Amino acid sequence: MPTCIISSVKVVVKTLIQDESGRILVLIRSSTHPQFAHHPDFPGGYVEQCETYRAAAIRELEEEVGIRIADKDMTEVYRRDAENEFLHIVYLAELKNHSPIIAISWEHAFYSWKTTEEIMATDIPNKTDPYYLTVLKYLKSKK
């Protein structure tokens, strides 16, 4: 049986879902979301105790947008250590052969598919979720 290692660092994973034309799935948080209501978002969340980072990303995708992705189809593309208190990890899942049916959870009100340029051109709300900003840093680094 694997050993469970408990860390004092909180880890958050976000996943960029990219369709066959290269557009990225962008979510808008619902008005009832306890943090950053109405703000743009990407699927993801906290890694639970004894959960691998990849398993957390896969779980969050299924919970938040109803997409089931195989582990082999996920690639870690960015990692940011935020002052030794939080670790932000960004995954990429490229959907090459199909356009999935998106079934958003209560956490989000809307979704859209956007190009990287459209995402980067969108106004960033005041006091934006730091994990969203991490994804923007990754997208900016790709240019």
Side-chain angles (χ1 to χ4, degrees):
M1 179 176 227
T3 303
C4 179
I5 298 171
I6 312 259
S7 172
S8 61
V9 174
K10 289 187 178 184
V11 181
V12 171
V13 295
K14 292 287 183 179
T15 301
L16 298 173
I17 301 291
Q18 194 171 49
D19 71 7
E20 60 260 353
S21 64
R23 297 175 306 162
I24 295 169
L25 180 67
V26 179
L27 307 171
I28 300 296
R29 289 190 179 187
S30 68
S31 61
T32 58
H33 197 288
Q35 297 179 319
F36 309 106
H38 305 287
H39 283 218
D41 195 13
F42 300 99
Y46 288 105
V47 175
E48 295 177 358
Q49 187 175 356
C50 298
E51 185 176 42
T52 68
Y53 304 157
R54 294 170 78 78
I58 291 167
R59 174 184 51 77
E60 289 286 349
L61 281 173
E62 191 164 359
E63 290 175 2
E64 292 187 0
V65 296
I67 296 175
R68 177 164 263 171
I69 299 286
D71 184 88
K72 66 178 181 56
D73 295 329
M74 304 268 302
T75 305
E76 182 181 320
V77 292
Y78 193 74
R79 188 178 281 229
R80 180 172 166 250
D81 183 2
E83 299 138 22
N84 296 323
E85 203 172 315
F86 291 94
L87 177 61
H88 304 182
I89 299 174
V90 179
Y91 287 94
L92 175 65
E94 296 176 291
L95 306 175
K96 298 190 188 250
N97 299 323
H98 68 287
S99 295
I101 296 171
I102 305 299
I104 55 177
S105 72
W106 67 270
E107 294 179 67
H108 300 97
F110 306 101
Y111 73 90
S112 60
W113 294 93
K114 295 187 175 191
T115 65
T116 300
E117 293 76 21
E118 290 170 327
I119 293 168
M120 298 305 288
T122 302
D123 289 336
I124 299 171
N126 289 333
K127 299 181 182 177
T128 295
D129 181 352
Y131 311 115
Y132 180 79
L133 296 176
T134 292
V135 175
L136 293 182
K137 283 184 182 194
Y138 163 69
L139 292 173
K140 190 179 244 185
S141 75
K142 286 181 33 172
K143 288 186 148 203

